[in-house]
Amino acid sequence: MDSTHPTAPVRLHSKWLRAAFLLLPVVAVVDYYAGYELQFSIFYLVSVYLATWFGGWGLGVLVALISVVLSLAGDLASGAVYKNELVPWWNCAIAISFYIVMVSVLHRLRMFQRQLEVRVRERTTALREEIQERKKLEQAVLEVSEREQRRIGHDLHDSLCQHLTSAALAGQVLSEKLHQKSVAESADSEQLVGLIESGIDLARSLARGLAPVELDMLGLTATLRELARTTSMRARLNCTLEMPEEVLLEDSEAVVHLYRIAQEAVNNAVRHSGGDRITISLQNTSQGVQMRVTDNGAGLPPEAARKSGMGLHIMRHRADMIGALCEVTGLERGTCVSVLVPTRTTTSAGAASI
Ligand SMILES: Nc1ncnc2c1ncn2[C@@H]1O[C@H](COP(=O)(O)OP(=O)(O)OP(=O)(O)O)[C@@H](O)[C@H]1O
Ligand SMILES: [Mg+2]
């Protein structure tokens, strides 16, 4: 039977049982020298308690019987005289009843305590499994969203961009024809072609944001620069990438997560900060590669005042998955998202794609 089960036999703790049995002769000797008039039941009870708690019901009863015998023998040896010969037997019966009640109560308490321990252990295991399961689910959700973003990016590139390119070419041809015929509207058609070409650029950069092509470290730098450029253009603010020295990071998974964290941090800065400057910086530190996204906006509101979005949570989860440390802190003016990818996942070269 499983020893953790509440009804399993009590595991013997030899140290305490030895103490219970060693204490018996000591108490008996003191009981003898103290004389028959002084009661020593309470001291025998210590051995009974130890034997029951650490050895179970049977050992408790055995020690109780030995205690009664030793106590009676001690009283008789120290010269106890009884008017009626039934008195010592009566005393023994009372003592044994008392000890057995104590043994039963202690045994029940012990069983109850073991049941509680088993229940706590079961709950802890269930909780641990639940946390594990949740982590797996979160990872699956991230993977699905990653895959979906990539799919939309590819579709955008392969369908809308191609379609717009054809439209731009057709517009170009039309514009040239109009120009040859010296029609006044040829300038309008050229403007139309220009608009379609900007549309192509926009769709391409959207596609690249959703599905960056190659993400080795140089690719990450280029992709972050592209992120800064498109953010500046779309949000009409100043977003830049600062990289004072070459930064090397091989772990492909880390590169992907770092890029996604940067994307969310930049989006948050655009949507929530109200600032006009965002800086993405990448640098080597003694502990690893550090990426920081800072803005000069209103700063992070206190936790209670924040909306219950998913972004910050996912950022931390992504960092967790690559063993990185992610901190979102308020600055004197603005907010800083800092991610430190520790050195053990950083090496010298490599490539990854998402
Ligand atoms: N750079 C920032 N400046 C000011 N406030 C911020 C900044 N980043 C986050 N916050 C605050 O923290 C909140 C939570 O951000 P989070 O990214 O988790 O959610 P969200 O952006 O509101 O929604 P989601 O990311 O799910 O689309 C935001 O609603 C905002 O109040
Ligand atoms: Mg967000």
Side-chain angles (χ1 to χ4, degrees):
M1 189 186 283
D2 177 10
S3 68
T4 59
H5 196 273
T7 56
V10 178
R11 210 157 17 108
L12 299 182
H13 295 254
S14 55
K15 187 176 69 174
W16 291 109
L17 289 179
R18 230 176 297 136
F21 281 97
L22 284 176
L23 206 61
L24 279 176
V26 177
V27 176
V29 169
V30 178
D31 189 10
Y32 166 70
Y33 282 111
Y36 60 88
E37 281 163 337
L38 289 179
Q39 270 294 328
F40 268 69
S41 315
I42 195 84
F43 299 107
Y44 287 110
L45 198 59
V46 175
S47 288
V48 174
Y49 159 74
L50 289 177
T52 312
W53 197 260
F54 297 107
W57 195 85
L59 270 181
V61 171
L62 177 69
V63 171
L65 287 173
I66 296 174
S67 301
V68 170
V69 171
L70 286 177
S71 170
L72 180 66
D75 287 353
L76 290 174
S78 59
V81 182
Y82 303 101
K83 284 183 192 157
N84 187 325
E85 62 185 23
L86 286 178
V87 170
W89 297 111
W90 170 257
N91 288 347
C92 283
I94 293 291
I96 203 102
S97 313
F98 170 68
Y99 286 145
I100 284 185
V101 168
M102 291 311 292
V103 167
S104 303
V105 170
L106 280 169
H107 182 65
R108 278 187 168 259
L109 273 178
R110 181 67 168 143
M111 286 293 119
F112 184 61
Q113 191 219 25
R114 296 182 77 221
Q115 276 174 2
L116 277 183
E117 276 174 5
V118 170
R119 220 174 295 164
V120 167
R121 220 172 295 137
E122 282 172 358
R123 290 262 164 91
T124 311
T125 311
L127 207 68
R128 221 173 271 147
E129 279 168 5
E130 212 177 295
I131 291 171
Q132 213 64 22
E133 192 62 27
R134 236 185 67 183
K135 279 199 169 165
K136 265 194 228 156
L137 273 176
E138 280 179 351
Q139 180 146 4
V141 168
L142 278 186
E143 278 169 12
V144 169
S145 96
E146 200 73 59
R147 213 171 33 237
E148 275 306 288
Q149 282 196 39
R150 240 182 298 160
R151 192 186 60 74
I152 296 169
H154 290 160
D155 283 356
L156 204 61
H157 181 270
D158 296 349
S159 57
L160 187 65
C161 287
Q162 307 306 340
H163 190 81
L164 286 176
T165 307
S166 309
L169 278 174
Q172 189 70 42
V173 171
L174 177 68
S175 166
E176 277 164 18
K177 280 182 186 163
L178 292 175
H179 190 70
Q180 277 166 12
K181 289 182 181 169
S182 305
V183 178
E185 282 79 7
S186 80
D188 295 340
S189 67
E190 268 168 32
Q191 200 183 355
L192 197 66
V193 171
L195 284 173
I196 296 174
E197 277 169 352
S198 336
I200 295 172
D201 282 349
L202 206 62
R204 276 224 176 96
S205 65
L206 270 175
R208 235 173 288 150
L210 289 165
V213 192
E214 279 296 316
L215 271 177
D216 60 6
M217 194 60 214
L218 286 178
L220 176 65
T221 315
T223 322
L224 287 180
R225 194 162 283 128
E226 177 69 11
L227 175 67
R229 192 185 70 78
T230 47
T231 306
S232 300
M233 205 174 71
R234 271 192 243 141
R236 293 182 208 292
L237 44 69
N238 181 15
C239 181
T240 50
L241 173 70
E242 279 178 7
M243 212 174 80
E245 55 184 347
E246 197 184 341
V247 175
L248 298 172
L249 182 70
E250 191 195 38
D251 186 336
S252 54
E253 213 190 332
V255 168
V256 172
H257 287 298
L258 217 54
Y259 174 69
R260 293 297 182 203
I261 292 172
Q263 253 186 336
E264 174 60 22
V266 166
N267 280 345
N268 273 354
V270 170
R271 286 170 55 204
H272 308 299
S273 78
D276 60 5
R277 207 172 60 241
I278 302 171
T279 310
I280 308 167
S281 71
L282 263 181
Q283 60 177 20
N284 293 309
T285 70
S286 55
Q287 292 144 312
V289 169
Q290 183 169 49
M291 182 184 76
R292 285 155 67 94
V293 178
T294 50
D295 64 65
N296 65 343
L300 205 62
E303 206 154 338
R306 271 179 235 162
K307 285 184 221 138
S308 55
M310 291 284 291
L312 296 181
H313 177 73
I314 294 176
M315 267 198 256
R316 290 202 182 97
H317 183 69
R318 283 185 184 280
D320 220 34
M321 280 168 62
I322 53 171
L325 184 73
C326 176
E327 285 174 339
V328 184
T329 42
L331 303 172
E332 200 178 323
R333 176 145 167 64
T335 305
C336 172
V337 175
S338 156
V339 185
L340 179 71
V341 186
T343 317
R344 65 187 163 74
T345 50
T346 66
T347 48
S348 54
S353 64
I354 61 171

